[in-house]
Amino acid sequence: MITEIEKREIEAEIKKAPTKKAAVIDVLKVVQKHRRWIPDEALEEAADMLGMTPAEVDSIATFFSLIYRRPVGKHVILVCDSVSCWLVGYEDVKQHLMEMLGISLGETTKDGRFTLLPSACLGVCEEAPAMMIDDDLYTHLTPSLVDEILQKY
Amino acid sequence: MRFYRNIDDMTKEKPLTKNIRPDGPPCNLQEYVESGGYRGLRKALSDHDHEEVIDMVVRANLLGRGGAGFPAGKKWSLVPMGEDVPRPKYVVCNFDEMEPGSFKDRFLVEGDPHQLIEGMILAGYAIEAEVGYIFIRRDYVKAARILSKAIKEAYGKNYLGTNIMGQGFNYELHLHVSAGRYICGESSALLNALEGGRAIPRSRPPHMSTVGLWGKPTVVNNVETICNVPHIVANGPDWFRELSYTEEGGTKIYGASGRVKKPGAWELPMGTTLREILEEHAGGMKEGFKLRGALPGGASSEFVTLEQLDTKMDFASMKKVQSHLGTGTVIVLDNGNCPLGMVLSLQRYFSRESCGWCTPCREGLPWIVQMLEALEEGSGTAEDIEILLAHTKLLETGNTFCTLAPAAMFSLESALRHFRDDFEGHIRLKGCSYKRDKAKV
Ligand SMILES: Cc1cc2nc3c(=O)[nH]c(=O)nc-3n(C[C@H](O)[C@H](O)[C@H](O)COP(=O)(O)O)c2cc1C
Ligand code: SF4
Ligand code: FES
């Protein structure tokens, strides 16, 4: 299942880390970079390379919210639902996102383009409301700005 | 002898932010050095031994900026020193910053990354550590990019690596990018995450200063705490204490979010009043809104109200008004938002972020969320308010494994203290009048 490229990248991560196990998050990120999420077989093979049991790796993969154990869309939208965003318009932004995409929080659009997830405070509360799409941060959100942003993806 | 400044002393020195250009590029290595950067490090390595550096930080009365206010120098002095202690020793910088309402550490690092790096090297020198880690949340993509570039620059000029500045000190610095979960910010959970485990807190004792990362002596400090260290070493502890209005040394990065005119972050003398922060620096409330209250230090602090605006924002003074300085980033509640709704948002956060390790937190927080939801929808009863109050005791410090749950109770308990009418209104009116008003507009 794991490709040669993934294997090489995983080995590089393990080599850099002070212990094999310490590389687990970076290794899972390698798999996720190539596949967007962590399928069972990939997890098992990665566990083998890490010298850990699949169950142990799974206990870590499921613990961290930004490691995905279920398929996600091409782009992951993390919309901040924490307090400062809530105070200045999170509800409207979320509502608009759900209507535009035709999905609820935790779901993926039928065309596999977007997954919409709620996120912990993104640390840009002075520019709330905020969201991230993949690695890109968007702030001062309004429903019309959300429309504009989604066009880019 | 008095070490702190007069309140009317307007020469507001801003050591932490002097290099930061809001909306501009980060301060690079050359600019940092030209502004006096790495001077503290040079001075420490050539003129001071480890104990003297710790002693400077002790005398500066630098209190931890991660929220708890533990004296940094005291924490460092608990680390076993000398030839025969377990090695390597570690310095870990907590850059998880997932406390809702907090954004000060990002502000510091995005503007001036070398300040943190120099602080990390000095902390390492002080406790004779060989290795440092900066633990950063994955969402801080920009800060991570800026930091890794700065770390490379620092290696290039031999501020990091072996025989630093020709003075015989060896120190490696690594950046670890995490993958979500608020609990990673709890210092012992953070160490488990770094080791590649589930990020659940560890029991203490043993304290991390003796048994920490991979069982070795470890110090964990917040970004802002570490950023202060180069200035203390370069300018001395007395200078540092004079930056403050109170006994607690230094300046503080305060911030404000919510419906204020100019949300943002500012470096001000420690002990600046909440009123000055909100009225002067945040520019007061947005047109059409009135101030109802505020969480002075992020989600894990207690509401204060209009009568408490003249309180000095330092650790000791905020305790006196039954609150906490926390992260010093103020979350403002206005009259257009429902206090119960705000508390519900906070409790949903803590409930989702609970690591699930201990029962009161894992079971209690979702229960609280359900009761608040019932109140908001109009199906709550007077008894629910009593049960909520009981939970603020059931989840108190001492009943849980870490302080996530007790700190979650700060907002709930204080909201019931200050805004009980609003809670009871939801029972009387069978729902949320703020929501109805909004729907009408
Ligand atoms: C749930 C939880 C989350 C925390 N998150 C952070 C954080 O993101 N950054 C931080 O510096 N401290 C955080 N803390 C506090 C740390 O446990 C620790 O006290 C702090 O990093 C020590 O640094 P300081 O002494 O320099 O303040 C958190 C604590 C808890 C219980
Ligand atoms: S209080 Fe909550 S977050 Fe802390 S250990 Fe217990 S379950 Fe985990
Ligand atoms: S609460 Fe949304 S960014 Fe902080």
Side-chain angles (χ1 to χ4, degrees):
Chain A
M1 166 111 191
I2 278 187
T3 62
E4 273 311 306
I5 304 174
E6 281 170 301
K7 201 166 169 197
R8 271 203 306 277
E9 289 180 19
I10 290 174
E11 276 163 1
E13 291 299 344
I14 292 175
K15 217 167 136 205
K16 266 196 294 183
T19 69
K20 271 189 169 184
K21 186 178 163 180
V24 63
I25 289 292
D26 290 315
V27 166
L28 290 170
K29 281 181 182 170
V30 168
V31 177
Q32 193 159 293
K33 184 181 81 188
H34 290 281
R35 303 168 185 272
R36 295 191 223 150
W37 66 293
I38 318 284
D40 287 346
E41 303 89 73
L43 182 129
E44 282 160 24
E45 288 175 42
D48 207 37
M49 293 177 74
L50 284 160
M52 295 164 76
T53 64
E56 195 182 4
V57 175
D58 199 22
S59 79
I60 291 152
T62 51
F63 187 90
F64 289 86
S65 52
L66 300 173
I67 301 292
Y68 307 128
R69 281 288 276 125
R70 277 192 271 165
V72 293
K74 188 148 177 259
H75 303 290
V76 177
I77 305 177
L78 296 172
V79 55
C80 173
D81 66 355
S82 294
V83 62
S84 303
C85 289
W86 181 85
L87 284 164
V88 299
Y90 155 73
E91 289 287 346
D92 294 344
V93 168
K94 176 193 74 174
Q95 211 55 44
H96 192 74
L97 275 166
M98 295 196 326
E99 278 163 27
M100 286 288 294
L101 300 170
I103 51 173
S104 290
L105 292 175
E107 295 179 353
T108 302
T109 53
K110 274 211 193 73
D111 62 2
R113 210 166 176 74
F114 292 107
T115 295
L116 180 63
L117 298 175
S119 165
C121 170
L122 290 168
V124 286
C125 325
E126 83 280 30
E127 299 179 25
M131 68 174 179
M132 283 184 92
I133 303 185
D134 306 330
D135 279 355
D136 305 324
L137 177 67
Y138 298 98
T139 61
H140 294 302
L141 295 177
T142 58
S144 59
L145 185 57
V146 165
D147 290 347
E148 228 174 88
I149 293 165
L150 288 182
Q151 298 302 318
K152 291 199 241 173
Y153 292 86
Chain B
M1 194 158 33
R2 194 183 58 85
F3 275 118
Y4 43 93
R5 67 162 72 201
N6 279 323
I7 201 104
D8 51 10
D9 174 359
M10 297 306 280
T11 55
K12 293 194 173 139
E13 237 175 310
K14 298 181 196 297
L16 294 176
T17 54
K18 66 178 191 306
N19 292 333
I20 297 181
R21 297 169 283 233
D23 305 320
C27 175
N28 65 31
L29 178 57
Q30 193 190 338
E31 292 167 320
Y32 183 70
V33 170
E34 278 165 12
S35 77
Y38 290 110
R39 190 163 56 95
L41 179 63
R42 189 177 304 273
K43 191 173 149 211
L45 294 183
S46 61
D47 303 347
H48 299 289
D49 63 21
H50 314 285
E51 270 99 52
E52 284 168 352
V53 176
I54 295 180
D55 187 53
M56 278 190 253
V57 176
V58 169
R59 284 192 292 130
N61 201 22
L62 169 63
L63 304 186
R65 305 295 199 239
F70 192 82
K74 186 169 169 201
K75 191 185 280 184
W76 295 7
S77 58
L78 297 172
V79 175
M81 303 288 278
E83 299 283 296
D84 309 329
V85 303
R87 285 178 191 276
K89 293 196 264 185
Y90 298 98
V91 177
V92 178
C93 175
N94 191 341
F95 192 7
D96 199 48
E97 193 159 69
M98 285 181 70
E99 177 72 21
S102 305
F103 46 93
K104 66 186 182 72
D105 298 337
R106 174 184 57 79
F107 171 73
L108 283 171
V109 173
E110 286 184 355
D112 196 359
H114 281 285
Q115 179 169 250
L116 177 63
I117 294 170
E118 186 182 0
M120 285 297 286
I121 307 168
L122 280 165
Y125 180 71
I127 68 156
E128 295 177 334
E130 287 84 355
V131 185
Y133 280 98
I134 298 173
F135 185 98
I136 185 173
R137 62 181 295 185
R138 106 83 217 197
D139 312 285
Y140 278 179
V141 175
K142 184 175 167 195
R145 204 174 49 228
I146 291 172
L147 256 182
S148 35
K149 181 166 171 249
I151 290 173
K152 276 203 197 89
E153 283 178 325
Y155 268 107
K157 291 277 185 226
N158 192 219
Y159 295 119
L160 286 167
T162 46
N163 193 18
I164 293 171
M165 296 165 108
Q167 300 284 340
F169 176 55
N170 306 327
Y171 186 69
E172 303 291 334
L173 183 61
H174 306 290
L175 184 66
H176 175 83
V177 183
S178 186
R181 292 307 287 275
Y182 172 56
I183 192 63
C184 291
E186 197 280 338
S187 46
S188 66
L190 188 156
L191 299 188
N192 283 338
L194 267 181
E195 290 181 9
R198 278 169 79 90
I200 46 175
R202 296 178 178 177
S203 68
R204 302 177 184 86
H207 196 271
M208 289 175 284
S209 52
T210 45
V211 184
L213 193 56
W214 288 294
K216 300 297 196 304
T218 303
V219 152
V220 182
N221 276 121
N222 171 259
V223 168
E224 186 186 347
T225 312
I226 300 274
C227 285
N228 277 296
V229 174
H231 306 289
I232 293 171
V233 175
N235 303 307
D238 294 349
W239 167 89
F240 187 76
R241 293 194 56 174
E242 279 171 16
L243 295 170
S244 165
Y245 286 144
T246 71
E247 290 289 342
E248 301 174 7
T251 57
K252 175 80 191 78
I253 308 292
Y254 295 108
S257 63
R259 283 182 175 144
V260 290
K261 280 208 186 91
K262 295 183 291 181
W266 312 277
E267 181 178 15
L268 300 167
M270 178 65 99
T272 301
T273 64
L274 186 54
R275 184 185 300 283
E276 181 183 327
I277 294 166
L278 293 184
E279 293 179 0
E280 238 172 84
H281 306 283
M285 299 301 290
K286 276 216 167 92
E287 223 50 67
F289 293 103
K290 285 207 186 77
L291 179 66
R292 288 262 347 244
L295 298 173
S300 298
S301 62
E302 296 87 342
F303 281 99
V304 293
T305 55
L306 304 182
E307 298 81 64
Q308 289 143 356
L309 285 184
D310 291 308
T311 313
K312 286 180 177 166
M313 285 272 283
D314 72 359
F315 290 100
S317 312
M318 292 317 292
K319 265 197 203 124
K320 286 194 200 132
V321 295
Q322 292 181 62
S323 188
H324 283 87
L325 176 63
T327 55
T329 37
V330 186
I331 310 170
V332 174
L333 171 64
D334 61 89
N335 63 341
N337 272 306
C338 174
L340 187 148
M342 179 169 172
V343 172
L344 175 56
S345 163
L346 291 160
Q347 298 304 320
R348 278 189 177 132
Y349 176 84
F350 289 118
S351 164
R352 184 174 70 204
E353 296 298 333
S354 164
C355 83
W357 184 242
C358 65
T359 316
C361 174
R362 183 184 62 238
E363 304 296 328
L365 290 174
W367 191 247
I368 287 168
V369 168
Q370 280 182 32
M371 279 190 295
L372 289 169
E373 281 172 350
L375 283 164
E376 189 179 57
E377 284 158 15
S379 59
T381 64
E383 205 194 342
D384 288 343
I385 295 191
E386 296 312 315
I387 298 174
L388 284 173
L389 271 172
H391 273 75
T392 64
K393 296 273 175 249
L394 290 167
L395 273 65
E396 227 168 34
T397 309
N399 294 344
T400 62
F401 203 71
C402 86
T403 54
L404 182 143
M409 293 303 95
F410 294 168
S411 58
L412 176 62
E413 178 278 324
S414 56
L416 287 165
R417 183 154 36 93
H418 294 303
F419 308 118
R420 182 135 183 174
D421 275 356
D422 285 273
F423 280 71
E424 285 166 355
H426 286 73
I427 302 169
R428 249 190 344 266
L429 304 169
K430 299 218 176 316
C432 183
S433 54
Y434 293 84
K435 276 202 168 162
R436 274 181 217 142
D437 290 350
K438 242 194 213 158
K440 266 189 237 148
V441 181

